[in-house]
Amino acid sequence: MHFTRAGRGKPLLLVHGLGATSGSWDTISPALSQVREVIAIDLPGHGETPEEADSGTFDGLARSLDDWLGAKNLTDIDMVGSSLGARLVLEMARRGRAGAVVALDPGGFWQGWERNFFKATITPSVALVRALRPALSAITGNVAGRTALMAQLSARPWELDPAFVARELRSLANTRTVNSLVKDLADGAMQEGPAKTAEPVVIGWGRKDRLCLPQQADRAIKAFPEATLHWFERSGHFPMWDQPEETIRVILHAMSTSASG
């Protein structure tokens, strides 16, 4: 898998969400790299990492990540994940492959109508972004356009950097496995716990998340009873975009309280 590496200190792995890349962390990774060696990956089928035969499924991505951790001798590494990536780091914790874990708005805790809501809202959004791909820079450069395209993902999309938003949306449009992953995530089993780690597990959730709805946080904590729940009061689906300073504090606090931190 393609990855970037920056900073010095104990390694910290960052795992992005659906249709994203390692660049999704650019709002917080420079600050984290001041105190940790930050390793940010591109999941298979995303960014610069080629897809594999099973990269259109959650189990396939989990297998790829698990294999990569073993190959790089990074088992027990501290991890932070966002959305799909948050579910992946929780899965690594469940398998006993992670150190301290911070999972930001994880998928995998949908029930009933929420499954259809997730699939019915994200699928047309992907189609729209793909149709608008040639004009994304111009659209995101306009406050109204940026707000319209990012309303489901950010509590304050008008405050996001236009170039950053255009890059993220372009990545979403370019990820060929998005639709198969959406179907697999919406129709598949809920994420199971608990974590097999003695290190801290923190589940962070944006109060204004319009994709992984806030009521799902209760199910996440029931699955991972050892976890601490942190609410980002003014955030949507991506706390590292809407509340980057608070996200950095939550991550560093969790890592500093780990037994080996």
Side-chain angles (χ1 to χ4, degrees):
M1 286 195 284
H2 172 78
F3 63 93
T4 62
R5 197 172 225 150
R8 292 186 299 174
K10 188 183 178 189
L12 173 64
L13 179 69
L14 305 182
V15 186
H16 64 76
L18 178 68
T21 70
S22 57
S24 291
W25 300 100
D26 285 356
T27 51
I28 64 171
S29 55
L32 294 175
S33 66
Q34 296 297 311
V35 291
R36 302 292 293 261
E37 181 187 27
V38 175
I39 302 170
I41 62 171
D42 285 351
L43 290 168
H46 295 70
E48 297 184 38
T49 302
E51 65 186 84
E52 300 179 38
D54 56 359
S55 296
T57 67
F58 174 78
D59 287 344
L61 292 180
R63 178 201 58 76
S64 295
L65 179 57
D66 200 335
D67 290 350
W68 183 81
L69 291 170
K72 294 294 184 182
N73 197 27
L74 290 173
T75 53
D76 299 325
I77 189 175
D78 295 340
M79 302 181 186
V80 181
S82 167
S83 192
L84 168 62
R87 182 177 179 182
L88 284 167
V89 301
L90 288 175
E91 174 62 15
M92 294 304 106
R94 187 189 72 83
R95 298 184 184 189
R97 304 285 273 176
V101 164
V102 176
L104 303 172
D105 296 72
F109 299 101
W110 300 285
Q111 281 186 355
W113 66 268
E114 297 165 356
R115 292 176 177 270
N116 288 331
F117 173 81
F118 167 72
K119 187 162 52 175
T121 56
I122 199 69
T123 300
S125 295
V126 172
L128 175 63
V129 168
R130 284 175 172 163
L132 295 175
R133 188 163 19 192
L136 281 176
S137 293
I139 294 170
T140 57
N142 176 275
V143 171
R146 187 163 68 250
T147 299
L149 287 178
M150 298 296 290
Q152 189 177 16
L153 301 177
S154 171
R156 297 190 301 279
W158 53 88
E159 294 183 3
L160 299 178
D161 177 71
F164 177 83
V165 171
R167 190 186 70 189
E168 290 298 297
L169 292 177
R170 199 170 287 116
S171 172
L172 178 65
N174 291 340
T175 304
R176 298 195 313 167
T177 53
V178 163
N179 287 341
S180 57
L181 279 167
V182 167
K183 185 178 186 304
D184 182 73
L185 293 167
D187 298 338
M190 282 180 59
Q191 175 62 39
E192 296 180 355
K196 295 177 184 175
T197 177
E199 306 291 0
V201 176
V202 178
I203 297 175
W205 222 288
R207 287 278 190 195
K208 299 179 179 180
D209 192 335
R210 300 182 182 96
L211 187 64
C212 294
L213 304 177
Q215 64 256 30
Q216 295 165 20
D218 289 340
R219 296 169 210 148
I221 291 298
K222 286 178 181 176
F224 292 87
E226 67 286 333
T228 301
L229 178 62
H230 179 88
W231 287 107
F232 292 90
E233 298 293 341
R234 297 180 297 112
S235 179
H237 188 60
F238 293 107
M240 72 275 203
W241 298 357
D242 287 347
Q243 294 186 253
E245 294 84 4
E246 184 174 346
T247 304
I248 293 165
R249 289 196 300 270
V250 168
I251 292 169
L252 293 182
H253 178 73
M255 305 308 165
S256 68
T257 55
S258 69
S260 57

